[in-house]
Amino acid sequence: MFDPKVYQSRRNSLRSKFKNGILLFPGNMETAMNYKANTYHFRQDSCFLYYFGLNQPDLFGIIDIDKGEDSIFGNDIDIEDIIWMGNLPSIAERASLAGVTKTLPLANLATFLQHPDNKKRPIHFLNPYRGETIVQLQALLDKNPVQLKENSSKELAIVIAQMRSIKEDREIVEIEKVVDVAGIMHTTAMRMAMPGIIEREIAGIIEGIALSKGAGVSFPIIATMHGETLHNHHHGNSLKQNDLLIIDAGAESELGYASDITRTSPVGGTFTPQQKEIYELVLAANLAAIEMAKPGIFYKDVHLKAATVIAEGLKAIGLMKGNIQEAVQQGAHALFFPHGLGHMMGLDVHDMENIGENYVGYDNTIARSSQFGLAYLRLGKKLETGNVITDEPGIYFIPALIDLWQAEKKFTEFINYDALKAYRNFGGIRLEDDLLITNTGCRVLGKPIPKTVKEVEAIVGK
Ligand code: GLY
Ligand code: MN
Ligand code: MN
């Protein structure tokens, strides 16, 4: 954990944005996988981690605006817990690590929230995203799931999104540590990318690296020769010479911070001329975004710049045609680049997505587009110093989408469907880096991970 003062200061800063009421932070509980005692890997709620830091299940945090005090509700262990889990610190000892002096048993939380004095006050909570938390809040606040959603605090969501979007230096240090872990994961995958290897052999080894160096992976690993399926979690294919292997994988630090890196490698060690051509376009788009990202610029404009680089490149090799500015404006490039350029990253790999993507990525200056492709852009608003974001352009050849658009005669003025036949089994290429927005531009976080054609070819199979 960080110093207790860090959590106190974050809570005080949050407190200062509210006039009165109670801010309620449910920590996560253990979730059963296939029976109650066999649970999924425990992951604390990220807002709870940010303001209270404690990484144990079954805790609630309260920030009382009117009284100016914070408390943690949780149960001390009993003799049975000691037998099975050892002698764990008391709730009071744990709470002191977060700078909280007031602790109460969990059973007192309902009494506290239902007290007539407190029921009169606004109780701010975020829209719960876990079934267990919904059930807990339903009982505590006497609201059904629909009411919980309707009554969740927009004000709290907006203020938290503002605070967590600007990373403290200590958070950058944490993130950079796990970008470096991702670097080891990715270079290991590149070394393994040889014919005959099954995707899961690579996925298993690199997940082990994440576990051995921190808290495991920050999201389920994508390790696939079918990169054209964007979030492909099937790992059963055997790699063949000249397949393209996309690895999209990151690690989580012990304090819960994420990295999110993508690299694409030529199985066997050499890109074919066709692959190399497309790879260079994705790389150019990734580099153009690095060049452009700085405070005050809309990330939507950076996305559109990356889309333009991709579309111009595709025109140069004969897959697109016509006026490229118009093609991008109308969304024709989304046949090849159907997702957003990136998202915020921090305690969550898609940072604060539980709060509501539009609170994090959009604001009153810019609304999310409904255009196919652009609608998937999670972050469109102006960048600020201290943001940590991803830069992840890609080019994919998705046969079902090509067939659909061709049958619909969609964008025939911009897309050369005949020329696309030679790319039908190409798969996809994506490159992803994690960027810190600085005062004047941006910095690619972590030690460099092989990214140019030359760098990647030099390590595959070695
Ligand atoms: N790893 C999922 C993403 O890049 O957004
Ligand atoms: Mn990713
Ligand atoms: Mn990402």
Side-chain angles (χ1 to χ4, degrees), residues 186 219 222 231 247-250 259-262 343 349-350 390 392 430 432 434:
H186 280 274
F219 59 93
I222 296 167
H231 279 179
I247 305 278
D248 182 347
S259 61
D260 183 10
I261 301 285
T262 306
H343 48 85
V349 63
H350 291 176
T390 66
E392 49 180 309
R430 177 166 65 254
E432 178 174 22
D434 302 334

Side-chain angles (χ1 to χ4, degrees), residues 17 42 157 165 194 265 341 393:
K17 308 286 196 314
F42 175 71
S165 292
M194 293 302 281
S265 301
L341 182 64

Side-chain angles (χ1 to χ4, degrees), residues 11 35 75 109 132 210 259 297 351 366 370 377 431 441 445:
R11 291 194 299 271
Y35 54 92
N75 293 338
L109 183 58
E132 285 85 352
S259 61
I297 196 160
D351 212 21
I366 180 170
S370 58
L377 179 63
L431 295 171
L445 290 173

